[in-house]
Amino acid sequence: MTTPTATVTNMNDKLTQTILDAALKGGMNEVVQRLNEKDEITPDDLLDVVRDLGEIVRQRIHQRDVLAQSILKAAVDAGMIKREAQLSGPEILDAINNLGSAAKETVQRNLRAIEDERILNEFLGETKYTGEPVEIPAESEESPGMR
């Protein structure tokens, strides 16, 4: 049976290690390295790390929210969803894929139109389009974006 002091010390070590591991995952490598070089890590040191981690998390949540808002605005502007739509993470990923697919289809349609115009002008003897023939990419079943 362990003594209460040994358990508390062990829990303190576990807590310290957990905070330092989280700091490494949060990109605070220099802070962790500096703390590891100290003879003793104080509770105040750990509190500073936790506060900094909280700020990193707050910033990343803000960045995620701004990205999601931008994606939603693009999907609304493209007429794919209604302005008042409230989408979850998977639905936002689906919107990204749909935007990518729509953009790809638009590019292919425009390339076909340019090539059709070039062929028609060539047939009619007009020289409105003087560029090289347009290469239209093969249709793909795979949609662009994250999968």
Side-chain angles (χ1 to χ4, degrees), residues 61-80:
I61 288 171
H62 175 72
Q63 291 168 353
R64 180 211 57 205
D65 291 347
V66 168
L67 177 62
Q69 290 168 0
S70 296
I71 293 166
L72 293 176
K73 182 182 181 321
V76 167
D77 290 350
M80 299 174 77

Side-chain angles (χ1 to χ4, degrees), residues 48-116:
D48 289 342
V49 171
V50 170
R51 285 187 194 105
D52 291 346
L53 278 171
E55 180 59 23
I56 289 170
V57 168
R58 190 197 63 72
Q59 289 173 359
R60 290 188 180 164
I61 288 171
H62 175 72
Q63 291 168 353
R64 180 211 57 205
D65 291 347
V66 168
L67 177 62
Q69 290 168 0
S70 296
I71 293 166
L72 293 176
K73 182 182 181 321
V76 167
D77 290 350
M80 299 174 77
I81 61 170
K82 294 180 181 178
R83 185 167 305 281
E84 61 275 1
Q86 297 291 319
L87 303 182
S88 66
E91 292 167 329
I92 291 172
L93 290 175
D94 193 43
I96 292 171
N97 285 326
N98 290 339
L99 283 169
S101 296
K104 180 180 177 182
E105 289 170 16
T106 299
V107 167
Q108 289 178 334
R109 184 174 51 248
N110 290 344
L111 289 174
R112 282 191 296 274
I114 290 170
E115 182 62 9
D116 290 347

Side-chain angles (χ1 to χ4, degrees), residues 1-145:
M1 183 168 177
T2 59
T3 63
T5 306
T7 303
V8 170
T9 302
N10 189 17
M11 286 302 292
N12 285 340
D13 290 346
K14 286 182 181 180
L15 180 60
T16 299
Q17 191 58 53
T18 300
I19 291 171
L20 295 179
D21 289 345
L24 285 173
K25 289 179 183 175
M28 299 175 61
N29 301 4
E30 293 172 7
V31 171
V32 172
Q33 183 178 359
R34 187 171 20 93
L35 288 175
N36 282 333
E37 291 171 357
K38 291 178 73 171
D39 291 333
E40 181 182 353
I41 298 173
T42 67
D44 287 337
D45 292 332
L46 293 176
L47 285 174
D48 289 342
V49 171
V50 170
R51 285 187 194 105
D52 291 346
L53 278 171
E55 180 59 23
I56 289 170
V57 168
R58 190 197 63 72
Q59 289 173 359
R60 290 188 180 164
I61 288 171
H62 175 72
Q63 291 168 353
R64 180 211 57 205
D65 291 347
V66 168
L67 177 62
Q69 290 168 0
S70 296
I71 293 166
L72 293 176
K73 182 182 181 321
V76 167
D77 290 350
M80 299 174 77
I81 61 170
K82 294 180 181 178
R83 185 167 305 281
E84 61 275 1
Q86 297 291 319
L87 303 182
S88 66
E91 292 167 329
I92 291 172
L93 290 175
D94 193 43
I96 292 171
N97 285 326
N98 290 339
L99 283 169
S101 296
K104 180 180 177 182
E105 289 170 16
T106 299
V107 167
Q108 289 178 334
R109 184 174 51 248
N110 290 344
L111 289 174
R112 282 191 296 274
I114 290 170
E115 182 62 9
D116 290 347
E117 182 179 349
R118 185 193 68 74
I119 292 169
L120 179 62
N121 288 339
E122 189 176 281
F123 176 75
L124 297 174
E126 298 177 13
T127 57
K128 288 181 184 176
Y129 181 82
T130 59
E132 296 294 319
V134 177
E135 182 179 323
I136 301 171
E139 295 286 331
S140 170
E141 294 298 320
E142 187 177 319
S143 67

